[in-house]
Amino acid sequence: MSQIAWLGPNDSFPNPLIHPDPDPSVPGLIAVSERIYPGQLSQAYQLGIFPWYSDNQPVLWWSPDPRMVLKPTEFKCSDSLKKSIRHFCQDMNSEIMVDQDFGAVIRACATSTRKDQDGTWITHEIMDAYTALHEQGNAHSIAIIEQGQMIGGLYCVSFGSMVFGESMFSRKPGASKIALAALNTWCLQNGVVMIDCQQETAHLHSLGATPISRGEFLEQLQISLNETKIETSWTFDKTILTHWL
């Protein structure tokens, strides 16, 4: 059994295709580092690896098997969600803000309480690293606004033609689902065939996400990375939601 790699600032990640589970007792854990070093997050995503850890831990880097993904063509827009979308679109005081306040969205995700996780994995270091990724054009935010207040949203990462969903939050029931519906429409319009959801949850399953093997995910990732980067600007308004009505 090989050991899980401890990465320094100049070390590369093990390839999960070659070293899928260095320690079978911790499936999916690929590597560990003391901190997130410059450039490390970009390298990780392009290998299908992501960080997930708590404040009292070193940085833990994961490539789980199976991998939860959401194909935009299979997004489940329930009748109740369609009703929420219709109300949102008809409200003159509602809007979608894309990439206009990434910091506010990721902070909201970090402080959001949820059933399946406590949110503490979005540490200050995580917020700084993803904000840097946003400034490089590879991380994006979608905020749902009502009456001038942010009631929900999400942030994601994009390389090539692959989108990686990161975290959502709601301050009003269903608000994060509206943001996800908007993201799915944008993906449909721009030829994105898969949104990485990382880990399996009942909530994601209810929205149409399904688990696939790590091998299948990494194969699709390589195809997406070899394709031309999505050139369309991450700029859209709430009219994108009419796709679901």
Side-chain angles (χ1 to χ4, degrees):
M1 181 180 69
S2 59
Q3 291 185 333
I4 296 172
W6 185 281
L7 304 180
N10 300 314
D11 294 330
S12 297
F13 286 95
N15 188 325
L17 280 173
I18 301 172
H19 306 286
D21 283 309
D23 185 346
S25 68
V26 193
L29 182 60
I30 295 296
V32 180
S33 62
E34 184 177 356
R35 56 182 293 261
I36 300 176
Y37 299 107
Q40 199 175 38
L41 204 54
S42 295
Q43 182 191 47
Y45 272 93
Q46 293 175 80
L47 286 169
I49 299 169
F50 61 89
W52 187 45
Y53 65 104
S54 298
D55 265 327
N56 61 345
Q57 295 177 316
V59 182
L60 307 178
W61 299 92
W62 301 86
S63 178
D65 188 9
R67 187 88 168 215
M68 196 71 164
V69 301
L70 175 57
K71 297 178 181 178
T73 55
E74 297 178 3
F75 177 66
K76 293 180 181 178
C77 190
S78 65
D79 290 342
S80 61
L81 178 54
K82 288 179 181 178
K83 182 178 179 180
S84 296
I85 289 173
R86 186 173 292 107
H87 174 79
F88 180 76
C89 289
Q90 292 172 348
D91 184 353
M92 296 294 292
N93 295 309
S94 70
E95 60 179 322
I96 288 180
M97 291 173 49
V98 182
D99 282 349
Q100 294 188 43
D101 197 342
F102 184 87
V105 172
I106 195 170
R107 286 193 299 273
C109 290
T111 56
S112 176
T113 57
R114 59 199 79 206
K115 293 180 181 179
D116 52 347
Q117 60 191 39
D118 60 15
T120 57
W121 70 274
I122 306 179
T123 64
H124 290 292
E125 183 177 33
I126 284 284
M127 286 190 276
D128 289 344
Y130 282 87
T131 298
L133 209 59
H134 168 67
E135 292 169 352
Q136 296 164 16
N138 291 113
H140 304 277
S141 64
I142 299 173
I144 304 302
I145 310 296
E146 277 191 358
Q147 303 289 335
Q149 301 296 314
M150 188 164 59
I151 62 167
L154 61 81
Y155 71 98
C156 60
V157 169
S158 178
F159 284 97
S161 62
M162 175 69 81
V163 171
F164 308 81
E166 289 304 312
S167 187
M168 303 187 293
F169 78 96
S170 288
R171 292 171 177 161
K172 182 177 179 179
S176 63
K177 293 182 182 180
I178 294 175
L180 185 58
L183 176 61
N184 270 270
T185 308
W186 187 90
C187 288
L188 285 169
Q189 293 175 350
N190 289 278
V192 175
V193 300
M194 182 182 294
I195 301 171
D196 175 31
C197 300
Q198 300 177 347
Q199 309 219 34
E200 188 170 359
T201 67
H203 177 64
L204 288 169
H205 182 73
S206 71
L207 294 168
T210 55
I212 63 174
S213 72
R214 174 167 44 203
E216 183 181 351
F217 171 78
L218 294 175
E219 180 181 357
Q220 181 58 53
L221 173 60
Q222 287 307 308
I223 293 171
S224 298
L225 291 175
N226 290 331
E227 293 175 348
T228 303
K229 180 180 178 181
I230 302 167
E231 296 295 340
T232 303
S233 172
W234 282 73
T235 303
F236 53 84
D237 59 29
K238 67 180 182 180
T239 59
I240 199 170
L241 291 164
T242 58
H243 172 86
W244 304 106
L245 300 179

